[in-house]
Amino acid sequence: MNSPKKENSPAALTSLLSRVDASRTLNISALSRQEPARSEQFCVDAAGLYCDFSRSLCSADDLRALLGYADSIGLAAKRDAMLHGAKINSTEHRAVLHTALRQPPGQSILVDGADVMPDVHQTLNRIAALSDRVRNGQWLGAGGQRITDVVNIGIGGSYLGPELACDALQGFGQAAVRVHFLSSLDPSAWQQISQRLDANRTLAIVASKSWKTLETALGALAVRDWLLAQGIAHQSLRKHLVAVSTNIAAATEFGIDEANVFPIWDWVGGRYSLWSAIGLPVMLQIGSVQFRTMLAGAHAMDQHFARAPLHRNAPVLHALISWWQNLVTGSRSEAILPYSYGLRRLPAYLQQLSMESNGKSVDLQGQPLATASAPVTWGEPGTEAQHSFFQLLHQGSDAIPVEFILPLPQRDATHNSDLALVANCLAQADALMRGRSADEVRASLQQQGLSAEAVRQRTPHMVYPGNRPSSLILMNHLDPATFGALVALYEHRTAALGMLWNINSFDQWGVEVGKQRATSIQPLIENPDESVLQGLDAANQALFKRIRAGLQARQ
Ligand code: F6P
């Protein structure tokens, strides 16, 4: 299937952008009074998630204009092209089909004329078989003992999604193994993790789509050396090492039994790969049944994305509102604030998803973008973040759009900490929106009995400007289905934003140069010969000498 040819029209964009200045004068609280239909227009239920975009600097007319722009660029056709296997990753000439990974059996999806679905289900069944055997104790280590610990060696998309899911879904599926993640090049990472492990009871997964990633290659060598040093015989390594990769030959050459190498395909982007065999550590933790429930939750969001009209489509509204909030506030960042211990790594996961996908400066035709692309994504879980950077969100110079993610927590009948968590999240959204006027501050200080002078001095420091936009994603429970739907929502928001910007959200050329430079810099650190530094400028020569001296002093 070919990419849809409809291109984003500069005139339609200019017309849309002409609304931005007027939106800057909007008042969110006033909008909520003046627009009684706001809750129907800006709130939508999708796959178990309630998405509330009503606290946005966006009027009903703006939303209509945004939806008109989405229509004008053929967003629905672009979405359909993605879902049906068009090669929309044009620089790598690849389809983008992570949605196929959560598609139930019974429907074909063709890439280059071949149906990808049989391989998808065969691989899912293979990892389920492995996971079941490990979890029920049939898979034994070299010494005949059952596996208690799993180490995932991977980075980026081969790490962040599985780690997020393992955290979020603790407690689902009977606990059978502990999962550890090795992603860092810093040798102390593996040193610390390995101290907690017994080699005879450890299964390591080398997770690398490309099998070319330095961090993962060195991590895999460290783990293999450790297994051997701990007394696992070479011929028994296959009981302790499995792999996920497109490069089956390289994985088997590394010493992994071909039966235990699970494929992933070039039409799955690394940061969209949680649903593939890259999710194996998650399956080992929660079991294959719960893993399939997670896939079903994501699939429910896929169906919503594919079928709901654009004005009721949660990922599309999410993308439109996110884009608009950054344009109207002029902010170049967005804060992700999960009010959930389980989702504490969501900001890190979304950093890769959003910034690696949409951190681009040229469009699909290679032309400079008319508007800024991905903002900086950052965040921390609430309520902890309230005690660190919320000061800036409320009173800092910039209005930064905020996303609250609120799964209703489990009951705490003793101290009501669950209710306090929910109340804090709602209170922050409300305070950002309504702020606190000088009159309110004065009245409150006077009531406390402060002198007129103290009231005058303190008032400006205690005013909250308010009118700061936020969105809220609410779910009744954080469980495998709603978790799957939440991640799929963000995946589709990311894709839809890329369509609005007319960029390729599925390549990542910007990460290559640094990798290449590291390869040429390492010899300059290793080689003690002064002459190799001659080509460098004076500041770099000084820096390299300093580092060399520091490295030598360690021995
Ligand atoms: O360097 C960026 C990147 O290519 C990501 O896109 C990817 O998720 C990560 O590295 C890991 O890649 P791989 O799974 O091929 O080791």
Side-chain angles (χ1 to χ4, degrees), residues 25-49:
T25 65
L26 293 174
N27 180 280
I28 307 172
S29 302
L31 282 174
S32 62
R33 289 191 300 274
Q34 291 155 3
E35 297 185 341
R38 208 162 164 82
S39 73
E40 288 99 76
Q41 289 164 335
F42 287 80
C43 302
V44 60
D45 263 301
L49 310 185

Side-chain angles (χ1 to χ4, degrees), residues 285-539:
Q285 183 187 293
I286 66 175
S288 56
V289 172
Q290 299 285 3
F291 189 86
R292 286 179 198 271
T293 307
M294 180 182 85
L295 297 184
H299 179 65
M301 184 57 77
D302 296 342
Q303 288 197 301
H304 168 87
F305 181 49
R307 294 175 185 173
L310 298 193
H311 69 284
R312 302 304 300 146
N313 195 305
V316 172
L317 288 174
H318 199 178
L320 291 171
I321 296 290
S322 299
W323 183 34
W324 196 244
Q325 296 319 282
N326 281 105
L327 284 169
V328 173
T329 59
S331 169
R332 294 295 305 122
S333 83
E334 63 175 1
I336 305 292
L337 306 171
Y339 273 63
S340 161
Y341 182 70
L343 294 177
R344 61 193 175 279
R345 293 289 285 157
L346 184 66
Y349 170 80
L350 292 181
Q351 280 177 334
Q352 188 200 14
L353 181 64
S354 170
M355 295 199 278
E356 194 168 72
S357 297
N358 287 337
K360 315 278 165 72
S361 305
V362 294
D363 67 13
L364 284 165
Q365 287 72 39
Q367 297 304 310
L369 294 178
T371 65
S373 63
V376 175
T377 298
W378 59 286
E380 282 287 328
T383 62
E384 291 90 321
Q386 290 176 203
H387 300 273
S388 57
F389 55 72
F390 267 57
Q391 164 64 38
L392 179 145
L393 291 180
H394 287 293
Q395 288 189 317
S397 335
D398 297 329
I400 296 171
V402 165
E403 307 235 332
F404 292 102
I405 298 98
L406 177 63
L408 295 183
Q410 66 183 49
R411 183 90 186 90
D412 171 16
T414 322
H415 302 296
N416 288 339
S417 61
D418 54 337
L419 302 184
L421 181 73
V422 175
N424 267 275
C425 178
L426 299 180
Q428 294 298 330
D430 189 60
L432 284 166
M433 178 179 79
R434 289 204 293 134
R436 200 172 187 223
S437 70
D439 284 349
E440 286 173 297
V441 174
R442 267 190 292 272
S444 148
L445 293 177
Q446 280 159 359
Q447 213 177 17
Q448 289 167 37
L450 266 72
S451 70
E453 178 55 13
V455 170
R456 192 189 63 74
Q457 274 184 1
R458 210 179 282 181
T459 298
H461 301 279
M462 297 181 70
V463 168
Y464 285 46
N467 210 28
R468 300 198 160 186
S470 66
S471 45
L472 174 74
I473 297 164
L474 176 74
M475 62 203 85
N476 279 349
H477 308 279
L478 180 59
D479 58 31
T482 54
F483 173 78
L486 178 71
V487 176
L489 170 76
Y490 274 102
E491 286 180 344
H492 296 321
R493 175 187 84 141
T494 303
L497 277 166
M499 292 166 196
L500 293 167
W501 288 318
N502 191 33
I503 60 183
N504 183 353
S505 304
F506 305 101
D507 61 10
Q508 56 284 320
W509 298 104
V511 298
E512 295 305 322
V513 179
K515 292 182 194 173
Q516 288 155 12
R517 293 275 155 86
T519 315
S520 54
I521 282 177
Q522 191 164 330
L524 305 186
I525 302 169
E526 278 171 348
N527 190 338
D529 184 353
E530 288 280 312
S531 66
V532 296
L533 301 182
Q534 287 313 314
L536 302 179
D537 61 56

Side-chain angles (χ1 to χ4, degrees), residues 164-173 175 179 285-286 341-342 344 478:
L164 169 67
C166 284
D167 279 351
L169 302 177
Q170 281 280 351
F172 286 91
V179 181
Q285 183 187 293
I286 66 175
Y341 182 70
R344 61 193 175 279
L478 180 59

Side-chain angles (χ1 to χ4, degrees), residues 155-158 207-211 213 216 270-271 352 356 508 511 515:
I155 198 164
S158 301
S208 179
K209 179 182 161 187
S210 60
W211 207 267
T213 304
T216 307
R271 52 195 174 273
Q352 188 200 14
E356 194 168 72
Q508 56 284 320
V511 298
K515 292 182 194 173

Side-chain angles (χ1 to χ4, degrees), residues 266-285:
D266 69 1
W267 43 262
V268 184
R271 52 195 174 273
Y272 299 85
S273 65
L274 167 64
W275 328 96
S276 69
I278 290 290
L280 178 57
V282 185
M283 193 187 263
L284 284 161
Q285 183 187 293

Side-chain angles (χ1 to χ4, degrees), residues 151-166:
V151 180
N152 188 77
I153 310 159
I155 198 164
S158 301
Y159 153 58
L160 289 162
E163 185 199 43
L164 169 67
C166 284

